[in-house]
Amino acid sequence: FSSLGPFENRLASQLSGGMKQKLGLCCALIHQPDVLLLDEPTFGVDPISRRDLWLIIHEMVSQGVAVVVSTAYLDEAERCDHVALLDHGRIVALDRPQVLQQSVAGVTLEIRASDARATVRVLSGVASVRRAELFGENVHAVVTSRADDWPAADAALRAAHLEVFDVREIEPSLEDVFIDRVAASAAGVR
């Protein structure tokens, strides 16, 4: 199941990072545990090995093994049945990923603009924008209503000579949820 067969004659020290992670997982599974604790199992692993590790983990879950995973990769956490989001060792959210994603108040907009960093700066100063964060080359902005709140934000971006290529409503990611909960926690809101 691990695809390590072709490497059976190779020393563990000569395996790639992804292969070492798979080997470690195999060692943990050899005694068929009821519970498997994995601490950042895909850290430093290439995308193909990362995918393979998650397939193995899901196979173990389907066989009745309880798996607890710690990860800093929130896109990976979206694959889990339940998620606890931690900030400085304190749980800020605990539920199924879909429930957490639906808990973000307002509408999340993904904005593709000529300068993402400048877009965040401008939107952060617009009263109708609850929050604006950089997500890769795009910006995620949270507003109460796109129809009511976006025109003021769009006008501010135009005034700052920023070109907006695309604006679309998206489902918040777990990263959006985390940022929302940490901001609420810092503001003293529950």
Side-chain angles (χ1 to χ4, degrees):
F1 73 90
S2 67
S3 303
L4 287 173
F7 304 97
E8 69 182 55
N9 294 320
R10 190 178 295 182
L11 294 175
S13 63
Q14 295 174 343
L15 295 173
S16 69
M19 290 294 183
K20 285 179 184 177
Q21 290 290 71
K22 284 183 190 178
L23 179 60
L25 187 56
C26 289
C27 290
L29 294 173
I30 201 148
H31 71 285
Q32 298 176 334
D34 294 327
V35 178
L36 184 62
L37 303 174
L38 300 173
D39 184 21
E40 299 195 15
T42 62
F43 180 75
V45 173
D46 67 89
I48 292 171
S49 293
R50 183 179 181 198
R51 185 194 67 216
D52 289 346
L53 279 166
W54 276 103
L55 289 172
I56 293 168
I57 291 168
H58 283 288
E59 178 62 26
M60 295 299 99
V61 170
S62 73
Q63 293 177 13
V65 176
V67 180
V68 178
V69 178
S70 72
T71 181
Y73 303 124
L74 294 180
D75 61 317
E76 288 188 349
E78 290 178 2
R79 301 172 183 221
C80 298
D81 294 328
H82 280 77
V83 174
L85 298 176
L86 301 172
D87 180 44
H88 294 95
R90 191 169 81 55
I91 295 176
V92 295
L94 173 63
D95 213 324
R96 294 187 332 269
Q98 301 81 2
V99 172
L100 292 174
Q101 289 168 297
Q102 294 167 0
S103 73
V104 175
V107 175
T108 302
L109 303 174
E110 183 176 66
I111 303 153
R112 202 168 50 84
S114 56
D115 184 337
R117 291 185 189 282
T119 299
V120 169
R121 282 193 301 276
V122 169
L123 292 178
S124 294
V126 176
S128 62
V129 176
R130 288 187 33 224
R131 190 181 73 255
E133 301 288 340
L134 194 61
F135 276 75
E137 295 179 4
N138 296 326
V139 174
H140 287 191
V142 178
V143 297
T144 302
S145 160
R146 181 177 181 172
D148 295 337
D149 300 331
W150 178 248
D154 189 42
L157 292 171
R158 289 177 195 274
H161 306 290
L162 292 167
E163 187 177 357
V164 175
F165 304 124
D166 187 40
V167 178
R168 63 186 184 101
E169 289 185 28
I170 61 167
E171 178 178 280
S173 65
L174 277 183
E175 191 169 339
D176 289 308
V177 174
F178 179 77
I179 291 168
D180 186 65
R181 296 296 174 90
V182 169
S185 179
V189 178
R190 291 238 176 227

